[in-house]
Amino acid sequence: SSSSSSSSSSSGGSVDRSVPLPREEAIAMLRDDCENGYFITGEASANLYDSDCEFADPFASFRGYDRFAMNLRNLKPFIKESFVKLLDFKEDSGPPFSVSTRFMVRLSLGLPWSPQLAWVWGVTYEFSEETGRVMRHIESWEVSPQRGIQQLFQPGRNPR
């Protein structure tokens, strides 16, 4: 049977989300993505997310994996240097089943004043019982949004 998938090829090829993802496979994919700093590299496993997954951070939220992937691709050219270290990866049986992560993130942005961003960044991934995929990707920062914005506008060590 030919099913029309709601995923588009803008995320690096079409993804078949018609088959539920086994939990062990999902956890392995997520751990791999986290260890490889997917939010810096832009290389997230599309099959890990529901196509209408909710993505939220301290400033905004939206739905749709393709938009998330596009945002990562658009951010990548602005990152001159990065350091990402996975600090925590904790599973919670729920419901819903979720994984909470914490990362130390340091970024040097390619803007004329060379801002340096550094903070502990957390993401909670909530999984759908039906699909086995991430249905909510909720970011938290261990710095106030105001301090995060301050860092963005503060000149770095080597302003051009």
Side-chain angles (χ1 to χ4, degrees):
S1 79
S2 72
S3 68
S4 66
S5 174
S6 62
S7 67
S8 76
S9 58
S10 69
S11 58
S14 64
V15 175
D16 179 8
R17 293 186 176 94
S18 64
V19 178
L21 191 61
R23 182 165 293 172
E24 301 72 36
E25 193 177 329
I27 293 167
M29 288 168 88
L30 179 59
R31 184 179 287 279
D32 195 46
D33 281 1
C34 289
E35 287 174 349
N36 291 311
Y38 69 93
F39 47 88
I40 303 297
T41 66
E43 317 253 331
S45 299
N47 191 33
L48 182 59
Y49 296 88
D50 280 340
S51 59
D52 67 340
C53 181
E54 176 189 358
F55 294 87
D57 66 28
F59 290 104
S61 78
F62 61 88
R63 288 194 168 280
Y65 176 79
D66 286 345
R67 182 170 169 192
F68 176 68
M70 183 184 68
N71 289 351
L72 292 180
R73 285 193 303 274
N74 289 342
L75 186 62
K76 194 174 178 180
F78 291 99
I79 300 172
K80 278 197 322 196
E81 294 172 18
S82 64
F83 168 83
V84 179
K85 182 178 183 190
L86 180 61
L87 303 174
D88 289 319
F89 190 96
K90 294 181 182 154
E91 297 174 30
D92 181 346
S93 56
F97 173 75
S98 65
V99 173
S100 296
T101 58
R102 289 173 69 243
F103 302 86
M104 181 63 226
V105 178
R106 281 200 303 269
L107 303 174
S108 174
L109 300 183
L111 297 169
W113 60 96
S114 301
Q116 313 283 316
L117 308 181
W119 58 69
V120 175
W121 185 71
V123 182
T124 298
Y125 308 83
E126 290 183 7
F127 289 79
S128 160
E129 285 294 320
E130 295 81 46
T131 68
R133 290 176 174 77
V134 177
M135 61 180 179
R136 296 184 77 219
H137 176 284
I138 311 298
E139 299 178 23
S140 60
W141 302 342
E142 293 182 22
V143 63
S144 70
Q146 294 81 359
R147 181 70 189 114
I149 293 293
Q150 262 181 333
Q151 285 185 24
L152 184 60
F153 290 102
Q154 194 171 325
R157 290 185 293 272
N158 307 320
R160 279 179 274 196

